[in-house]
Amino acid sequence: MSERKTRFQRLTDFLSDRLPLHKLSFENMVTKKEVPVHGMSWAYYMGGLTLLFFLIQLVTGVFLLFYYQPTVSDAHASVEYITFFVNSGFLIRNLHTWSSSCMIFCLLVHVLTAFAMKGFARPREITWWSGSLLLILTFSFGFTGYLLPWHQIAVNATKVVLQSIEEVGRYLPGGFANLPTYIKELIQGEASVGQATLSRFYALHVVILPLIFFATLGLHLLSVQLHGISQGIDNPSKKTERFFPFFILKDFWLWGLAFLVVFILALCLPFESFYSYPLFEAFDSLGSTPDGIKPEWYFYFVYYPLEILPFWIVMLGMTFAGAGLFLTPSIFKHTSRKVLSIIASVAAAYLIIITFFGQAIYEAFKGVSG
Amino acid sequence: MSDQFLFIALPYVALISLVIGSILRFRINAFSYSSLSTQFLEDRWLAWASMPWHIGIIVILTGHLLAFSFPGVWTTLAAEPVFLITVEVVGALCAFLCLFGVLILLVRRFVDAKLQAVTNHLEIVVLLILLIQISSGLAVALLHRWGSSWAPGALGPYLHSILMLRPDAAYLSDMPPFVKMHIATAWVLLMLLPFTRLVHAMSLPFHYFFRAPQKVVWNSSRSEARFEQRLEKDTERRLFIKASVGLGASAVLLSLGTLDKFFKYFLKQDLSNEQEAHLLSEKLHRLKQSAQEREYELERMSKDDIFVAKLSDLSKTKGKYFIDYQMRPALAFRDENGLPILLSAKCTHLGCTVGQDLDEQGRVLCPCHISYFDIKTGSPSAGSPAKDPLPHIGWALQNEQGKTLLAQDAEGRREGSIEPGQLESSLLFIVKRFSGEAA
């Protein structure tokens, strides 16, 4: 008690507590690993499922690289070529789009359940932080990938998002007011969304984001392996299941099933069938913006609030949500899992309602105000 | 001659032996129908042998039965390459499972002392015949391509002829030796069936589904504990085998199905001449579009004025899109007084391009977030998400000789004058001089 630890000592203590590398053994990872059995056990599969969809993204993404051309004059034509002329090209492309949506869905369930099961509690902070970063990276993948086909909806939606970055400047004090504009131009690369933007998004989507993703994923998985599987409920259950071979067999079984489902979906149903066709014509810089410009469904949770509420409220909300995500391990340190489950359920309910009924809510609001 | 014996005499001997033998055995010793189990004597080898064997043989027999029963359906399906490949692969996988199982069954009969005590010659003979049967079947599948399509074509009619008592071995006369061997051995197996443990195939334990659960009670708790332990281990082993077989088979099938498609993705693409031409013209069209955009850009950098339209070509209700000096989209209308109205078409909310059609109140619409703009003032209507007006753009009217008659800057200041008679023939330009004034 009398001796105060130096800052450096505290840092090393923190790290050795969070990354107990001495636990890294075959026994801990395979023969002795146990998975708790209780009502929420199904949630232990969600991370693995997300990983499966990421692997599908990786493989199909590399496949698409063989034919895709990232220039404003050729991008759309090359995507059309892949879709209509390359053998199984439609399949690869559909797999890529379907599996991206599946990945984000599983990821959201994974985050919410991990939160409800207090998977972030000490010593698992690093798992949570790296996971949060993976969440943001995944959304960035979605955003950058959306532009690449260079059709009307892609380019115009990207324009809208980039322009709204500039809007933030209105609410910043004097010296910072121009900062968002610089950021926008840094991302956009030229006065309007054009070749420079496409090249930047391509580089981000294909090289930079994947590299960051791999590193973060490595840390995430390492941390998961070191700490084992979290107990998940407040009163730890006595029943466990051996990870090897039982849990992993079921995990693979689920992977096979999930792959089969996505594969059949990709074979039978083009992802684009959810939008009206003119949106998928090549972007025309001289024409008007077509109706129905919308982001992908997984951005509805921020898109519809932006449509309905004043801009600054949404921005404030997003800032708090983002900060809350990373500060979760300290904010909810002493919260019981029961309360956490309620918070997660509310968040899930919000996501479900805004994703399914966002359009209806938006129309109701517009009907009242106009 | 040997064909006559193997495929006409032997079948009838086998069928008679099968029918009479089964009935006799059922009448004399009905309880032996479910066969003596050796699981109590030896269970480690058995799990590895019996499970693969039964999984494999059930699938294979079902396949054979389907092909004999519905030859027409089967032939149609087998014409589909995907189905044929799937059947061949599943069949081959199951045959290997059977082979593996039978080999272990044979081995355990020779290495386990307890088993040797209860093993008679017929058990060994049956196992050997099964081994031959599987090997010949596998040989047919592997050596003769598309063996699965012979069954409905030749075997079906042959079996039919046997059952209709009009035996005709001619259907089989041109078959390769492995096929003949496979068929002959099948008859031998049917002939021996009533006299061996194979008879249990005829006693499907359906009543297990309906009867009440039974609990085995042991006379000492120690032996009960020992039994429970053994049972748990055996269940675990069987679960593992089942899961591995299932996962392995589905992994093979899945990868076969997907790799078949993925591999083609990298082949040279087969396009018809028209398709190639269509693609090329599309590409050229878009290249021209990009080239034109560059030209516009260069034009705006180097020229002091840029032609928009003949004034008489402009409409009062449908705007004409053009590109302003900042390379942003803009719209040109004609006012009631005959003069042009030029304004930016880049929505002041989030930058979409506004539509070109004027509504009854003289407004254009931005479709992204529903903002209406009055084209005379440029200002958005109340309630629009856009708050700032669309800026107007300065213009100049020139006659055909290139002389500027009337010009107006972005704020609406005019210089020069134009006779009403000159309006129809005048040409509309945007001019660099005013370009800096657009916000």
Side-chain angles (χ1 to χ4, degrees), chain A residues 6-81:
Chain A
T6 64
R7 238 173 232 173
F8 179 71
Q9 266 173 334
R10 268 188 286 164
L11 180 69
T12 47
D13 282 358
F14 177 88
L15 282 180
S16 72
D17 195 20
R18 269 65 178 186
L19 295 173
L21 286 171
H22 59 92
K23 281 195 191 165
L24 202 62
S25 68
F26 184 76
E27 277 194 339
N28 272 330
M29 283 164 63
V30 179
T31 47
K32 280 211 248 157
K33 195 169 174 179
E34 301 272 342
V35 183
V37 177
H38 50 72
M40 283 289 280
S41 286
W42 58 270
Y44 294 131
Y45 294 99
M46 297 316 293
L49 219 46
T50 312
L51 178 63
L52 164 77
F53 288 122
F54 174 69
L55 293 177
I56 298 180
Q57 289 304 89
L58 198 66
V59 173
T60 52
V62 170
F63 276 28
L64 290 172
L65 277 183
F66 278 69
Y67 294 104
Y68 176 73
Q69 295 165 328
T71 64
V72 290
S73 50
D74 289 337
H76 188 265
S78 68
V79 172
E80 266 187 347
Y81 180 70

Coordinates of all heavy atoms in Angstrom, one line a residue, chain A residues 6-81:
Chain A
T6 N 4.5 3.1 -10.3 CA 4.7 4.1 -11.4 C 3.7 3.9 -12.5 O 3.1 2.8 -12.6 CB 6.1 4.0 -12.0 OG1 6.2 2.7 -12.6 CG2 7.2 4.1 -10.9
R7 N 3.6 4.9 -13.3 CA 2.7 4.8 -14.4 C 3.0 3.6 -15.4 O 2.1 2.9 -15.8 CB 2.7 6.1 -15.2 CG 1.3 6.7 -15.2 CD 1.3 8.0 -15.9 NE 0.7 9.0 -14.9 CZ 0.6 10.3 -15.1 NH1 1.2 10.8 -16.1 NH2 0.0 11.0 -14.2
F8 N 4.3 3.5 -15.6 CA 4.8 2.4 -16.5 C 4.4 1.1 -15.9 O 3.9 0.2 -16.7 CB 6.3 2.6 -16.7 CG 6.8 1.5 -17.6 CD1 6.6 1.5 -19.0 CD2 7.6 0.5 -17.1 CE1 7.0 0.6 -19.8 CE2 8.1 -0.5 -17.9 CZ 7.8 -0.5 -19.3
Q9 N 4.6 0.9 -14.6 CA 4.2 -0.3 -14.0 C 2.7 -0.6 -14.1 O 2.3 -1.8 -14.4 CB 4.6 -0.3 -12.5 CG 5.9 -0.9 -12.2 CD 6.3 -0.7 -10.8 OE1 5.8 0.3 -10.1 NE2 7.2 -1.5 -10.3
R10 N 1.9 0.4 -14.0 CA 0.5 0.2 -14.1 C 0.1 -0.2 -15.5 O -0.8 -1.0 -15.7 CB -0.3 1.5 -13.7 CG -0.6 1.4 -12.2 CD -1.5 2.6 -11.8 NE -0.8 3.8 -11.7 CZ -1.3 5.0 -11.7 NH1 -2.6 5.1 -11.8 NH2 -0.6 6.1 -11.6
L11 N 0.8 0.4 -16.5 CA 0.5 0.0 -17.8 C 0.9 -1.4 -18.1 O 0.1 -2.2 -18.7 CB 1.3 0.9 -18.8 CG 1.1 0.6 -20.3 CD1 -0.3 1.0 -20.7 CD2 2.2 1.4 -21.1
T12 N 2.1 -1.9 -17.6 CA 2.4 -3.3 -17.8 C 1.5 -4.2 -17.1 O 1.1 -5.3 -17.6 CB 3.9 -3.5 -17.4 OG1 4.1 -3.0 -16.1 CG2 4.9 -3.0 -18.4
D13 N 1.1 -3.8 -15.9 CA 0.1 -4.6 -15.1 C -1.2 -4.8 -15.9 O -1.7 -5.9 -16.1 CB -0.2 -3.9 -13.8 CG 0.9 -4.2 -12.8 OD1 1.8 -4.9 -13.2 OD2 0.8 -3.7 -11.7
F14 N -1.6 -3.6 -16.5 CA -2.9 -3.6 -17.3 C -2.7 -4.6 -18.4 O -3.6 -5.5 -18.6 CB -3.1 -2.2 -17.8 CG -4.3 -2.1 -18.7 CD1 -5.6 -1.9 -18.1 CD2 -4.2 -2.2 -20.0 CE1 -6.7 -1.8 -18.9 CE2 -5.3 -2.2 -20.9 CZ -6.6 -1.9 -20.3
L15 N -1.6 -4.5 -19.1 CA -1.4 -5.3 -20.3 C -1.3 -6.8 -20.0 O -1.9 -7.7 -20.6 CB -0.2 -4.9 -21.1 CG -0.5 -3.6 -22.0 CD1 0.8 -3.2 -22.7 CD2 -1.6 -3.8 -23.0
S16 N -0.5 -7.1 -18.9 CA -0.3 -8.5 -18.6 C -1.7 -9.1 -18.1 O -1.9 -10.3 -18.3 CB 0.7 -8.7 -17.5 OG 0.3 -8.3 -16.3
D17 N -2.5 -8.3 -17.5 CA -3.8 -8.8 -17.1 C -4.7 -9.1 -18.3 O -5.5 -10.1 -18.3 CB -4.5 -7.7 -16.2 CG -5.6 -8.3 -15.4 OD1 -5.7 -9.5 -15.3 OD2 -6.5 -7.5 -15.0
R18 N -4.6 -8.2 -19.3 CA -5.5 -8.3 -20.5 C -5.0 -9.3 -21.5 O -5.7 -9.9 -22.3 CB -5.7 -7.0 -21.1 CG -6.9 -6.2 -20.6 CD -6.7 -5.8 -19.2 NE -7.8 -5.0 -18.6 CZ -7.7 -4.5 -17.4 NH1 -6.6 -4.8 -16.6 NH2 -8.7 -3.8 -16.9
L19 N -3.7 -9.4 -21.6 CA -3.1 -10.3 -22.6 C -2.2 -11.4 -21.9 O -1.0 -11.3 -22.0 CB -2.2 -9.5 -23.6 CG -3.0 -8.6 -24.5 CD1 -2.0 -7.7 -25.3 CD2 -4.0 -9.3 -25.4
P20 N -2.8 -12.3 -21.2 CA -2.0 -13.3 -20.5 C -1.5 -14.3 -21.4 O -2.0 -15.4 -21.6 CB -3.0 -13.9 -19.5 CG -4.4 -13.7 -20.2 CD -4.2 -12.5 -21.0
L21 N -0.4 -13.9 -22.1 CA 0.1 -14.8 -23.2 C 0.6 -16.1 -22.7 O 0.7 -17.1 -23.5 CB 1.2 -14.0 -23.9 CG 0.8 -12.9 -24.8 CD1 1.9 -12.1 -25.4 CD2 -0.1 -13.4 -26.0
H22 N 0.9 -16.2 -21.4 CA 1.4 -17.5 -20.9 C 0.3 -18.6 -21.0 O 0.5 -19.8 -20.9 CB 1.9 -17.4 -19.5 CG 0.8 -16.9 -18.6 ND1 0.0 -17.6 -17.9 CD2 0.4 -15.6 -18.3 CE1 -0.9 -16.9 -17.2 NE2 -0.6 -15.6 -17.4
K23 N -1.0 -18.1 -21.2 CA -2.1 -19.1 -21.3 C -2.2 -19.7 -22.7 O -3.0 -20.5 -22.9 CB -3.4 -18.4 -21.0 CG -3.7 -18.2 -19.5 CD -5.1 -17.8 -19.3 CE -5.4 -17.3 -17.9 NZ -6.8 -16.7 -17.9
L24 N -1.4 -19.2 -23.6 CA -1.5 -19.6 -25.0 C -0.9 -21.0 -25.1 O 0.3 -21.2 -25.4 CB -0.7 -18.6 -25.9 CG -1.1 -18.6 -27.3 CD1 -2.6 -18.1 -27.4 CD2 -0.2 -17.6 -28.1
S25 N -1.7 -22.0 -24.9 CA -1.2 -23.4 -25.1 C -2.3 -24.2 -25.8 O -3.5 -23.9 -25.8 CB -0.9 -24.0 -23.7 OG -2.2 -24.1 -23.0
F26 N -1.8 -25.3 -26.3 CA -2.7 -26.2 -27.0 C -3.8 -26.7 -26.0 O -5.0 -26.7 -26.4 CB -2.0 -27.4 -27.5 CG -2.8 -28.4 -28.3 CD1 -3.1 -28.0 -29.6 CD2 -3.2 -29.6 -27.8 CE1 -3.9 -28.9 -30.4 CE2 -4.0 -30.4 -28.5 CZ -4.4 -30.1 -29.8
E27 N -3.4 -27.0 -24.8 CA -4.4 -27.4 -23.8 C -5.5 -26.4 -23.6 O -6.7 -26.8 -23.6 CB -3.7 -27.7 -22.5 CG -3.1 -29.0 -22.4 CD -2.7 -29.3 -21.0 OE1 -2.6 -28.4 -20.2 OE2 -2.5 -30.5 -20.7
N28 N -5.1 -25.2 -23.4 CA -6.2 -24.1 -23.1 C -7.1 -23.9 -24.3 O -8.2 -23.6 -24.2 CB -5.5 -22.8 -22.7 CG -5.2 -22.8 -21.3 OD1 -6.0 -23.3 -20.5 ND2 -4.2 -22.1 -20.9
M29 N -6.5 -24.0 -25.5 CA -7.2 -23.6 -26.7 C -8.1 -24.8 -27.2 O -9.0 -24.6 -27.9 CB -6.3 -23.1 -27.8 CG -5.9 -21.7 -27.5 SD -4.5 -21.2 -28.5 CE -5.1 -21.3 -30.1
V30 N -7.6 -26.0 -27.0 CA -8.3 -27.2 -27.6 C -8.8 -28.2 -26.5 O -10.0 -28.3 -26.3 CB -7.4 -27.9 -28.6 CG1 -8.2 -29.1 -29.2 CG2 -7.0 -26.9 -29.7
T31 N -7.9 -28.8 -25.8 CA -8.4 -30.0 -25.0 C -9.2 -29.6 -23.8 O -10.1 -30.2 -23.4 CB -7.2 -30.9 -24.6 OG1 -6.2 -30.0 -24.1 CG2 -6.7 -31.7 -25.8
K32 N -8.8 -28.5 -23.2 CA -9.5 -28.1 -21.9 C -10.5 -27.0 -22.1 O -11.2 -26.7 -21.1 CB -8.4 -27.6 -20.9 CG -7.7 -28.7 -20.2 CD -7.2 -28.3 -18.8 CE -5.7 -28.2 -18.7 NZ -5.3 -27.3 -17.7
K33 N -10.7 -26.5 -23.3 CA -11.6 -25.4 -23.5 C -13.1 -25.9 -23.4 O -13.5 -26.9 -23.9 CB -11.4 -24.8 -24.9 CG -12.1 -23.5 -25.1 CD -11.6 -22.9 -26.4 CE -12.3 -21.6 -26.6 NZ -11.9 -21.0 -27.9
E34 N -13.8 -25.2 -22.6 CA -15.2 -25.5 -22.3 C -16.1 -24.4 -22.7 O -15.8 -23.2 -22.6 CB -15.5 -25.8 -20.9 CG -14.6 -26.9 -20.3 CD -15.2 -28.3 -20.5 OE1 -16.5 -28.4 -20.7 OE2 -14.5 -29.3 -20.4
V35 N -17.3 -24.7 -23.2 CA -18.3 -23.7 -23.6 C -19.5 -23.8 -22.6 O -20.1 -24.9 -22.5 CB -18.8 -23.9 -25.0 CG1 -19.8 -22.8 -25.4 CG2 -17.7 -23.9 -26.0
P36 N -19.8 -22.7 -21.9 CA -21.0 -22.8 -20.9 C -22.3 -23.1 -21.7 O -22.5 -22.6 -22.8 CB -21.0 -21.4 -20.3 CG -19.7 -20.8 -20.6 CD -19.2 -21.4 -21.9
V37 N -23.1 -23.9 -21.0 CA -24.4 -24.2 -21.6 C -25.5 -23.5 -20.9 O -25.6 -23.8 -19.7 CB -24.6 -25.8 -21.6 CG1 -26.0 -26.1 -22.2 CG2 -23.6 -26.5 -22.4
H38 N -26.2 -22.6 -21.5 CA -27.3 -22.0 -20.8 C -28.2 -21.4 -21.9 O -28.0 -21.6 -23.1 CB -26.9 -20.9 -19.9 CG -25.9 -19.9 -20.4 ND1 -26.2 -19.0 -21.4 CD2 -24.5 -19.8 -20.3 CE1 -25.1 -18.3 -21.7 NE2 -24.1 -18.8 -21.1
G39 N -29.2 -20.6 -21.5 CA -30.2 -20.1 -22.5 C -29.7 -19.3 -23.5 O -30.3 -19.1 -24.6
M40 N -28.6 -18.6 -23.3 CA -28.0 -17.7 -24.3 C -26.9 -18.3 -25.1 O -26.2 -17.6 -25.8 CB -27.5 -16.4 -23.6 CG -28.5 -15.4 -23.1 SD -29.3 -14.6 -24.5 CE -28.1 -13.3 -24.8
S41 N -26.7 -19.6 -24.9 CA -25.5 -20.3 -25.6 C -25.5 -20.1 -27.1 O -24.5 -20.0 -27.7 CB -25.5 -21.8 -25.3 OG -25.1 -22.0 -24.0
W42 N -26.7 -19.9 -27.7 CA -26.7 -19.7 -29.2 C -25.9 -18.5 -29.6 O -25.4 -18.5 -30.7 CB -28.2 -19.6 -29.6 CG -28.9 -18.4 -29.0 CD1 -29.6 -18.5 -27.8 CD2 -29.0 -17.1 -29.4 NE1 -30.1 -17.2 -27.6 CE2 -29.8 -16.3 -28.5 CE3 -28.4 -16.4 -30.5 CZ2 -30.0 -15.0 -28.6 CZ3 -28.7 -15.0 -30.7 CH2 -29.5 -14.3 -29.7
A43 N -25.8 -17.5 -28.7 CA -25.1 -16.3 -29.0 C -23.6 -16.6 -29.2 O -22.9 -15.8 -29.9 CB -25.3 -15.2 -28.0
Y44 N -23.1 -17.7 -28.7 CA -21.7 -18.0 -28.9 C -21.3 -18.3 -30.3 O -20.2 -18.4 -30.7 CB -21.2 -19.2 -28.0 CG -21.3 -18.9 -26.5 CD1 -21.9 -19.7 -25.6 CD2 -20.7 -17.7 -26.0 CE1 -22.0 -19.4 -24.2 CE2 -20.8 -17.4 -24.6 CZ -21.4 -18.3 -23.8 OH -21.5 -18.0 -22.4
Y45 N -22.3 -18.6 -31.1 CA -22.1 -18.9 -32.5 C -22.0 -17.7 -33.4 O -21.5 -17.8 -34.6 CB -23.2 -19.8 -33.1 CG -23.3 -21.2 -32.4 CD1 -24.2 -21.4 -31.4 CD2 -22.4 -22.2 -32.8 CE1 -24.2 -22.7 -30.8 CE2 -22.5 -23.4 -32.2 CZ -23.4 -23.7 -31.2 OH -23.4 -24.9 -30.6
M46 N -22.5 -16.5 -32.9 CA -22.6 -15.4 -33.8 C -21.3 -14.9 -34.3 O -21.1 -14.5 -35.5 CB -23.4 -14.3 -33.1 CG -24.8 -14.6 -32.8 SD -25.7 -15.5 -34.1 CE -25.8 -14.3 -35.3
G47 N -20.3 -14.8 -33.4 CA -18.9 -14.3 -33.9 C -18.4 -15.2 -35.0 O -17.9 -14.7 -36.0
G48 N -18.5 -16.5 -34.8 CA -17.9 -17.4 -35.8 C -18.7 -17.2 -37.1 O -18.0 -17.3 -38.2
L49 N -20.0 -17.0 -37.1 CA -20.8 -16.8 -38.3 C -20.3 -15.6 -39.0 O -20.2 -15.5 -40.2 CB -22.2 -16.7 -37.9 CG -23.3 -17.4 -38.8 CD1 -22.8 -18.8 -39.1 CD2 -24.6 -17.5 -38.1
T50 N -20.1 -14.5 -38.2 CA -19.6 -13.3 -38.8 C -18.3 -13.5 -39.5 O -18.0 -13.0 -40.6 CB -19.4 -12.2 -37.7 OG1 -20.6 -12.2 -36.9 CG2 -19.2 -10.8 -38.4
L51 N -17.4 -14.3 -38.9 CA -16.1 -14.6 -39.5 C -16.3 -15.4 -40.8 O -15.6 -15.1 -41.8 CB -15.3 -15.5 -38.5 CG -13.9 -15.9 -39.0 CD1 -13.0 -14.7 -39.3 CD2 -13.3 -16.8 -38.0
L52 N -17.3 -16.3 -40.8 CA -17.5 -17.1 -42.1 C -17.9 -16.1 -43.2 O -17.3 -16.2 -44.3 CB -18.6 -18.1 -41.8 CG -19.2 -18.6 -43.2 CD1 -18.3 -19.7 -43.7 CD2 -20.6 -19.2 -43.0
F53 N -18.8 -15.2 -42.9 CA -19.2 -14.3 -43.9 C -18.1 -13.3 -44.4 O -17.9 -13.0 -45.5 CB -20.4 -13.5 -43.5 CG -21.7 -14.3 -43.4 CD1 -22.4 -14.4 -42.3 CD2 -22.1 -14.9 -44.6 CE1 -23.6 -15.2 -42.2 CE2 -23.3 -15.7 -44.5 CZ -24.0 -15.8 -43.4
F54 N -17.2 -13.0 -43.4 CA -16.0 -12.2 -43.8 C -15.1 -13.0 -44.7 O -14.6 -12.5 -45.7 CB -15.2 -11.8 -42.6 CG -13.9 -11.1 -42.9 CD1 -14.0 -9.8 -43.5 CD2 -12.7 -11.7 -42.7 CE1 -12.8 -9.2 -43.8 CE2 -11.5 -11.1 -43.1 CZ -11.6 -9.8 -43.6
L55 N -15.0 -14.3 -44.5 CA -14.1 -15.1 -45.3 C -14.8 -15.2 -46.7 O -14.1 -15.1 -47.7 CB -14.0 -16.5 -44.7 CG -13.2 -16.6 -43.4 CD1 -13.1 -18.0 -42.9 CD2 -11.8 -16.0 -43.7
I56 N -16.1 -15.3 -46.8 CA -16.8 -15.3 -48.1 C -16.5 -14.0 -48.8 O -16.2 -14.0 -50.0 CB -18.3 -15.5 -47.9 CG1 -18.6 -16.9 -47.3 CG2 -19.0 -15.4 -49.3 CD1 -20.0 -17.2 -47.1
Q57 N -16.6 -12.9 -48.1 CA -16.3 -11.6 -48.7 C -14.9 -11.5 -49.2 O -14.7 -11.0 -50.3 CB -16.4 -10.5 -47.6 CG -17.8 -10.2 -47.2 CD -18.7 -9.9 -48.3 OE1 -19.3 -10.8 -48.9 NE2 -18.8 -8.6 -48.7
L58 N -14.0 -12.1 -48.5 CA -12.6 -12.1 -48.9 C -12.4 -12.8 -50.2 O -11.8 -12.3 -51.2 CB -11.8 -12.8 -47.8 CG -10.3 -12.5 -47.7 CD1 -10.0 -11.1 -47.4 CD2 -9.6 -13.4 -46.7
V59 N -12.9 -14.0 -50.3 CA -12.7 -14.9 -51.5 C -13.5 -14.3 -52.7 O -12.9 -14.1 -53.7 CB -13.2 -16.3 -51.2 CG1 -13.2 -17.1 -52.5 CG2 -12.4 -17.0 -50.1
T60 N -14.8 -13.9 -52.5 CA -15.5 -13.4 -53.6 C -14.9 -12.0 -54.0 O -14.9 -11.7 -55.2 CB -17.0 -13.3 -53.3 OG1 -17.1 -12.6 -52.1 CG2 -17.6 -14.6 -53.2
G61 N -14.5 -11.3 -53.0 CA -13.9 -10.0 -53.3 C -12.6 -10.1 -54.2 O -12.5 -9.4 -55.2
V62 N -11.8 -11.1 -53.9 CA -10.6 -11.3 -54.7 C -11.0 -11.7 -56.1 O -10.5 -11.3 -57.1 CB -9.7 -12.4 -54.0 CG1 -8.6 -12.8 -55.0 CG2 -9.1 -11.8 -52.8
F63 N -12.1 -12.6 -56.2 CA -12.6 -13.0 -57.5 C -13.0 -11.8 -58.3 O -12.7 -11.7 -59.5 CB -13.8 -13.9 -57.3 CG -13.4 -15.4 -57.0 CD1 -12.2 -15.7 -56.4 CD2 -14.3 -16.4 -57.4 CE1 -11.9 -17.0 -56.1 CE2 -13.9 -17.7 -57.1 CZ -12.8 -18.0 -56.5
L64 N -13.7 -10.9 -57.7 CA -14.2 -9.7 -58.4 C -13.1 -8.9 -59.0 O -13.2 -8.3 -60.0 CB -15.2 -8.9 -57.5 CG -16.5 -9.6 -57.2 CD1 -17.3 -8.8 -56.2 CD2 -17.4 -9.7 -58.5
L65 N -12.0 -8.8 -58.2 CA -10.8 -8.0 -58.6 C -10.3 -8.4 -60.0 O -9.7 -7.7 -60.7 CB -9.7 -8.2 -57.7 CG -9.7 -7.4 -56.4 CD1 -8.4 -7.7 -55.6 CD2 -9.7 -5.9 -56.8
F66 N -10.6 -9.7 -60.4 CA -10.1 -10.2 -61.7 C -10.8 -9.5 -62.9 O -10.2 -9.4 -63.9 CB -10.4 -11.7 -61.8 CG -9.3 -12.5 -61.1 CD1 -9.2 -12.5 -59.7 CD2 -8.4 -13.3 -61.8 CE1 -8.3 -13.3 -59.1 CE2 -7.5 -14.1 -61.2 CZ -7.4 -14.0 -59.8
Y67 N -12.0 -9.0 -62.7 CA -12.7 -8.3 -63.8 C -13.0 -6.9 -63.6 O -13.3 -6.2 -64.5 CB -13.9 -9.1 -64.1 CG -13.7 -10.5 -64.6 CD1 -13.9 -11.6 -63.8 CD2 -13.3 -10.7 -65.9 CE1 -13.7 -12.9 -64.3 CE2 -13.0 -12.0 -66.4 CZ -13.2 -13.1 -65.5 OH -13.0 -14.3 -66.0
Y68 N -13.1 -6.4 -62.3 CA -13.5 -5.1 -62.1 C -12.5 -4.0 -62.5 O -11.3 -4.3 -62.3 CB -13.8 -4.9 -60.6 CG -14.2 -3.5 -60.2 CD1 -15.5 -3.0 -60.5 CD2 -13.4 -2.7 -59.5 CE1 -15.8 -1.7 -60.2 CE2 -13.7 -1.4 -59.2 CZ -15.0 -0.9 -59.6 OH -15.3 0.4 -59.3
Q69 N -13.0 -2.9 -63.0 CA -12.0 -1.8 -63.5 C -12.4 -0.5 -62.8 O -13.5 0.0 -63.0 CB -12.1 -1.7 -65.0 CG -11.6 -2.9 -65.7 CD -11.9 -2.9 -67.2 OE1 -13.0 -2.4 -67.5 NE2 -11.1 -3.5 -68.0
P70 N -11.6 0.0 -61.9 CA -12.0 1.2 -61.1 C -11.8 2.5 -61.8 O -11.1 3.4 -61.3 CB -11.0 1.1 -59.9 CG -9.8 0.5 -60.5 CD -10.2 -0.4 -61.6
T71 N -12.4 2.7 -63.0 CA -12.4 4.0 -63.6 C -13.8 4.5 -63.9 O -14.7 3.6 -64.1 CB -11.6 4.0 -64.9 OG1 -12.3 3.2 -65.9 CG2 -10.2 3.5 -64.8
V72 N -14.1 5.8 -63.9 CA -15.4 6.2 -64.1 C -16.1 5.8 -65.4 O -17.3 5.6 -65.5 CB -15.6 7.8 -63.9 CG1 -15.3 8.2 -62.5 CG2 -14.7 8.5 -64.9
S73 N -15.2 5.6 -66.4 CA -15.8 5.3 -67.7 C -16.0 3.7 -67.8 O -16.9 3.3 -68.5 CB -15.0 5.7 -68.9 OG -13.6 5.3 -68.7
D74 N -15.3 3.0 -67.0 CA -15.3 1.5 -67.2 C -16.0 0.8 -66.0 O -16.4 -0.4 -66.1 CB -13.9 0.9 -67.4 CG -13.4 1.3 -68.8 OD1 -14.2 1.6 -69.6 OD2 -12.2 1.3 -68.9
A75 N -16.1 1.4 -64.9 CA -16.5 0.7 -63.7 C -17.9 0.0 -63.9 O -18.0 -1.2 -63.7 CB -16.6 1.6 -62.5
H76 N -18.8 0.8 -64.3 CA -20.2 0.3 -64.5 C -20.2 -0.8 -65.5 O -20.8 -1.9 -65.4 CB -21.1 1.4 -64.8 CG -22.6 0.9 -64.8 ND1 -23.2 0.5 -65.9 CD2 -23.4 0.8 -63.7 CE1 -24.4 0.2 -65.6 NE2 -24.6 0.3 -64.3
A77 N -19.5 -0.5 -66.6 CA -19.4 -1.5 -67.7 C -18.8 -2.8 -67.2 O -19.3 -3.9 -67.6 CB -18.7 -1.0 -68.9
S78 N -17.8 -2.7 -66.4 CA -17.1 -4.0 -66.0 C -18.0 -4.7 -65.0 O -18.0 -6.0 -65.0 CB -15.8 -3.6 -65.3 OG -15.9 -3.0 -64.1
V79 N -18.8 -4.0 -64.2 CA -19.7 -4.7 -63.3 C -20.8 -5.4 -64.1 O -21.2 -6.5 -63.8 CB -20.3 -3.7 -62.3 CG1 -21.4 -4.4 -61.5 CG2 -19.3 -3.2 -61.3
E80 N -21.3 -4.7 -65.2 CA -22.2 -5.4 -66.0 C -21.7 -6.6 -66.7 O -22.3 -7.6 -66.9 CB -22.7 -4.4 -67.1 CG -24.0 -3.6 -66.7 CD -24.5 -2.8 -67.8 OE1 -23.8 -2.6 -68.9 OE2 -25.6 -2.3 -67.7
Y81 N -20.4 -6.5 -67.1 CA -19.7 -7.6 -67.8 C -19.7 -8.8 -66.8 O -20.0 -9.9 -67.2 CB -18.3 -7.2 -68.2 CG -17.5 -8.2 -68.9 CD1 -17.9 -8.7 -70.2 CD2 -16.4 -8.8 -68.2 CE1 -17.1 -9.6 -70.8 CE2 -15.7 -9.8 -68.9 CZ -16.1 -10.2 -70.1 OH -15.3 -11.2 -70.7

